[in-house]
Amino acid sequence: MVPEIYYLVLSAILFTMGALGVLARRNALIIFMSVELMLNAANLAFVSFANTYQQLNGQIIVFFVIAVAAAEVAVGLALIVAIFKSKHSIDVDQMSSLKG
Amino acid sequence: MTVDLILFLILALVAVATAAGMLFSRNAVYSALFLVLNFASIAVFYLLLGAPFIAMAQITVYAGAIMVLFLFVIMLLGAEQLAPIKVLPWQRPLAIGLAAVLVAETAYLLILRAKPAADIIPPAETVNTLGELQRLGMALFNQYLLPFEVTSILLLVAMVGAIVLTKREKGERE
């Protein structure tokens, strides 16, 4: 049995790497993927807690997080496509103007 | 060193390495493929933690549907390799500094504040029935019925929203 703290440390490492990706990269798609990585790190912590305390709630939360992530990706990628159509770039530095 | 621990360490190495590969690869397609590998390794963690349903959902929804959507958009936009247009000189050091702050915070929480939760005593089950699909389904459709239904509405709204956002307006110039 692997101690719970190992999973939490791994989850923290993955979350931090996702946060670093959001902060350091300028490609909107990579930023979006980093957000997904952060969601996964949180999910890993939830499932780890569910295993430790033998409670099902953690797994159910993860189920809902996955469903919401699917919805979020659909809308987010549609937004990126719409931005690319008007700006011909997905560099987040280019999205600096408020009009069109 | 048990087999579980060895498996955990190998998978953790894969997960962290693929996350780093996702962060640092120049080509967005490589990033997406690294992330698929990362999601697959996390699915194996779910199996180790006794959550086979979540593991399968992770593979089908994340590694399957979501990443295919990502790859589709990357290739649709032809955004595999975007040349850096104008680099903000202070962005990368600032990002690394903020990430270091986050590392310090999590390390503080995990190491200094971590105390064994003695007030929540896990039931002494000999057989781990946590991941059984029947229990999950019963909980999902009894205790969590309302959130489940709201999720279906959310997915519908997201679908309509994606269509509206990418639809070309009537009379819009190209």
Side-chain angles (χ1 to χ4, degrees):
Chain A
M1 205 60 213
V2 182
E4 183 200 18
I5 191 78
Y6 286 22
Y7 282 103
L8 293 184
V9 169
L10 177 67
S11 167
I13 291 172
L14 290 179
F15 190 90
T16 311
M17 293 177 85
L20 181 63
V22 170
L23 291 171
R25 296 298 300 259
R26 283 180 305 280
N27 186 333
L29 282 165
I30 306 278
I31 290 176
F32 211 8
M33 286 187 220
S34 302
V35 172
E36 297 301 317
L37 185 63
M38 289 161 79
L39 284 173
N40 263 276
N43 283 352
L44 187 60
F46 269 124
V47 176
S48 165
F49 283 132
N51 186 54
T52 305
Y53 300 117
Q54 293 291 307
Q55 295 287 317
L56 212 50
N57 301 358
Q59 292 190 17
I60 288 176
I61 294 271
V62 169
F63 175 77
F64 286 127
V65 169
I66 289 177
V68 172
E72 172 227 341
V73 165
V75 175
L77 288 178
L79 275 173
I80 289 179
V81 170
I83 290 169
F84 186 82
K85 268 194 208 161
S86 69
K87 296 252 181 209
H88 296 284
S89 166
I90 51 167
D91 193 307
V92 287
D93 282 350
Q94 303 294 307
M95 303 172 200
S96 53
S97 61
L98 280 175
K99 51 181 178 182
Chain B
M1 216 184 210
T2 60
V3 179
D4 268 6
L5 194 58
I6 294 169
L7 194 57
F8 173 86
L9 289 178
I10 292 171
L11 279 169
L13 199 64
V14 170
V16 173
T18 50
M22 190 275 288
L23 277 186
F24 297 121
S25 58
R26 291 271 122 213
N27 191 326
V29 175
Y30 291 168
S31 288
L33 293 177
F34 273 125
L35 201 56
V36 170
L37 202 53
N38 186 285
F39 288 165
S41 66
I42 289 178
V44 182
F45 282 130
Y46 292 161
L47 282 179
L48 286 178
L49 287 166
F53 174 71
I54 299 295
M56 290 305 122
Q58 169 90 2
I59 292 287
T60 51
V61 177
Y62 260 117
I66 290 182
M67 291 321 291
V68 166
L69 205 56
F70 263 108
L71 281 173
F72 186 76
V73 169
I74 291 169
M75 291 175 179
L76 177 76
L77 301 185
E80 294 98 286
Q81 283 171 320
L82 288 177
I85 297 167
K86 187 183 62 179
V87 179
L88 297 177
W90 43 267
Q91 187 189 8
R92 188 130 316 165
L94 184 67
I96 291 170
L98 285 174
V101 170
L102 189 59
V103 169
E105 279 176 6
T106 50
Y108 174 72
L109 281 174
L110 282 176
I111 295 162
L112 296 181
R113 299 284 298 273
K115 49 175 184 278
D119 49 338
I120 309 172
I121 297 156
E125 284 181 74
T126 49
V127 182
N128 189 353
T129 59
L130 187 65
E132 271 184 11
L133 206 49
Q134 197 178 358
R135 273 185 68 192
L136 196 72
M138 289 302 277
L140 204 56
F141 286 102
N142 288 311
Q143 195 184 351
Y144 290 94
L145 184 61
L146 182 65
F148 187 79
E149 298 294 340
V150 171
T151 305
S152 65
I153 295 175
L154 177 74
L155 286 172
L156 177 70
V157 170
M159 193 171 70
V160 174
I163 293 170
V164 168
L165 279 172
T166 49
K167 187 172 71 80
R168 189 170 296 165
E169 295 284 334
K170 201 180 287 181
E172 186 189 352
R173 67 185 165 78
E174 182 48 44

